[in-house]
Amino acid sequence: MTSLEKNPFRGGYAPVTEEITAFDLPVTGRLPEILNGRFLRNGPNPLDLDEPSPHLFLGNGMVHGVRIRDGRAEWYRNRWIRSDAVAAALGEEPRPGPRFDGLDSNANTHVIGHAGKTLAMVESGLPIQELTYELDTVGRYDFDGTLPGGFAAHSTVDPHTGDLHAVAYYFGWPDRIQHLVVNPAGRVECAVDIAVKDGPMVHDFALTGKYVVLYDLPVTYSTAALEAGVRLPYAWNEAHPARVGLLPRDGGGEDVRWFDIDPCWVFHTLNGYDDGDRVVIYVVAYDSLFVDARLDGGGPPGLERWVIDPASGSVKRERLDDRAQEFPRIDPRRAGMPHRYGYTVDTEELLVQLPRGAQDLSELPPPAFGAALLKYDFRTGNREEHLFPRGSYASEPVFVPADPSAEAAESVEDDGYVMTYVHNPDRNAADLVILSAQDFAGGPVATVHLPARVPLGFHGGFVFDES
Ligand SMILES: [Fe+2]
């Protein structure tokens, strides 16, 4: 098998080879005046195309951003995260910053704005990388020395307090995970260790008014995988019981109550909330992950509603939709509160067929198919679809409220926009597509035409300038 055949970075995942700065981008339609900030997205974009065994989750991070102001798309930039390896490959000096346990970071999974900073994140204990407004790497960042270990790929802002919550894990911590709270000023004010076994991978969590909901699932650190040369040495572990935990928001690690569930895997939470004494979470669930070191999910990931009942000790799982999907998002003002709507991206072709069958993803089909965004109305059970033309591929749908200054309770939940990068096959370049969430299947409100491809990647959001 040639290195090309073994390379997961093909088709929609094929990396770009240049950093671009472009100004005054052409726009079709009308950009909403409320959009004053940057649409950012992070993802893997390997520099070393001769790497013999690349792994999709380990490619060098690259952040893509479009700056929008006063109805204009002022610029597009894409920048590699300057890990030491990337800086050296580009002939640059290494960036400064603290190294938890001596670690550097490719920071390839998420990018957020918090306390006036732009932060690129990854999981497994690796440091955050701070970026400038223009997406250049400042260096590794630990919330001014207040972060005791690594951070996490996913974090959730409590809309009531402005606190940023996350759950960290680290391959050097086989017996604990850590709940972190970063205050609005950008300092870690709470770090609670929670005892676990086997070093589980923890990609996300759920936040409710009362609890942090923890996932302790059967994907754990594997020395066997490490010795077999698996670059991401985590594996499905049938000996590791699957469970979810309720950590009271003001509790300690000893206060976690665990609930056994059937083995499964969850990358992402749509949302969670309290329903009386019960806890409800919406997740995208897989049957398994990393069985025989494959990225195979054991079947299409589907949208599920889990009800955790502390009184009975049960977790009731309900599959809401079998359609393969990922990257669930809601109105961020409703994080931890009941939600009516949710948005995901269809992955029938992109993320299910793509990883099925082989770790090297050699069966990746070229992106000669359409892609769809999905909108759910959980009150009516209705699902809407926004289908892009054949040959397109779309990524995470980010909801942006039409009036971000309004409280959730004061606003219509789907009064806003859904933004994502979409590959335009006619131009072989990306568009930033902005849909009206209330006219989801209709044509875009605005489309910003970028000068280059944006490869399929992971996560990001719209970062308002005042945030
Ligand atoms: Fe993720």
Side-chain angles (χ1 to χ4, degrees), residues 44-185:
N45 194 96
L47 259 173
D48 181 4
L49 302 181
D50 294 325
E51 158 66 47
S53 58
H55 192 292
L56 185 65
F57 292 177
L58 301 181
N60 306 114
M62 175 178 275
V63 173
H64 301 260
V66 174
R67 195 267 198 262
I68 297 172
R69 181 168 62 176
D70 298 334
R72 293 173 51 236
E74 290 191 336
W75 53 252
Y76 163 74
R77 285 178 162 90
N78 64 313
R79 296 290 184 271
W80 272 288
I81 307 288
R82 263 53 172 189
S83 63
D84 288 348
V86 168
L90 297 175
E92 301 175 3
E93 292 294 313
R95 298 303 194 270
R99 297 176 184 274
F100 165 64
D101 239 8
L103 296 166
D104 191 26
S105 179
N106 61 5
N108 70 2
T109 308
H110 214 319
V111 57
I112 67 168
H114 185 71
K117 293 182 182 294
T118 304
L119 305 175
M121 349 280 250
V122 67
E123 63 198 55
S124 73
L126 304 183
I128 295 167
Q129 294 275 13
E130 182 187 351
L131 310 181
T132 67
Y133 190 89
E134 287 79 22
L135 310 182
D136 296 318
T137 303
V138 176
R140 291 172 302 277
Y141 181 68
D142 64 358
F143 297 107
D144 294 330
T146 62
L147 181 66
F151 199 65
H154 284 275
S155 55
T156 299
V157 173
D158 180 336
H160 297 297
T161 64
D163 288 339
L164 183 75
H165 290 252
V167 175
Y169 74 100
Y170 172 42
F171 53 82
W173 294 347
D175 56 359
R176 61 181 166 125
I177 58 177
Q178 189 174 67
H179 170 231
L180 295 158
V181 182
V182 186
N183 69 22

Side-chain angles (χ1 to χ4, degrees), residues 170-287:
Y170 172 42
F171 53 82
W173 294 347
D175 56 359
R176 61 181 166 125
I177 58 177
Q178 189 174 67
H179 170 231
L180 295 158
V181 182
V182 186
N183 69 22
R187 298 181 70 81
V188 177
E189 61 180 26
C190 178
V192 170
D193 287 345
I194 299 118
V196 294
K197 294 179 178 174
D198 305 327
M201 173 179 272
V202 179
H203 189 71
D204 201 355
F205 65 101
L207 187 68
T208 77
K210 297 179 188 172
Y211 299 106
V212 179
V213 185
L214 307 164
Y215 307 141
D216 181 9
L217 302 173
V219 173
T220 62
Y221 187 78
S222 168
T223 51
L226 182 70
E227 289 165 3
V230 176
R231 292 197 58 208
L232 187 66
Y234 282 81
W236 186 253
N237 180 355
E238 291 188 351
H240 186 87
R243 56 184 191 163
V244 293
L246 296 182
L247 167 66
R249 292 262 299 252
D250 57 356
E254 69 282 2
D255 298 319
V256 176
R257 185 167 172 201
W258 293 102
F259 302 82
D260 291 335
I261 58 173
D262 290 336
C264 66
W265 173 251
V266 171
F267 276 116
H268 298 126
T269 306
L270 178 78
N271 190 31
Y273 58 86
D274 301 308
D275 178 15
D277 291 334
R278 299 183 305 175
V279 175
V280 180
I281 60 173
Y282 286 65
V283 300
V284 175
Y286 296 72
D287 291 343

